[in-house]
Amino acid sequence: MFIAFFLAALADGFSLLLTPAPPLQWTLDFVTAILLFIILGRQWILLPGLIMEAIPGIYVFPFWVLVVGAIAIWGTPR
């Protein structure tokens, strides 16, 4: 779980730096979603995080960290 939190925080940090280059930011978010999907298993709750990161202007919030935190607290929705 620590690796997932670290990856999410790193992706959210780089997301702010890549604001002037949206295609690079979208690529980073897509790669982050795939890596978190591999690390955390089949957690479909990652998809809303990917959608929120793709909306311009909303990516300033740390959605990856929030999604990983939600998975850590509540586990997999069933």
Side-chain angles (χ1 to χ4, degrees):
M1 189 61 70
F2 174 76
I3 295 171
F5 271 114
F6 180 75
L7 178 65
L10 193 65
D12 283 335
F14 277 126
S15 180
L16 291 174
L17 294 175
L18 294 176
T19 301
L24 292 176
Q25 186 177 17
W26 299 331
T27 304
L28 172 70
D29 290 332
F30 186 70
V31 169
T32 301
I34 291 172
L35 289 175
L36 287 174
F37 195 76
I38 291 169
I39 292 170
L40 297 172
R42 294 184 177 192
Q43 303 287 333
W44 293 103
I45 197 169
L46 293 170
L47 292 178
L50 179 61
I51 292 168
M52 294 306 289
E53 286 284 339
I55 298 173
I58 295 182
Y59 53 80
V60 296
F61 296 106
F63 281 110
W64 288 126
V65 173
L66 293 174
V67 169
V68 173
I71 292 170
I73 293 171
W74 294 300
T76 305
R78 298 190 200 288

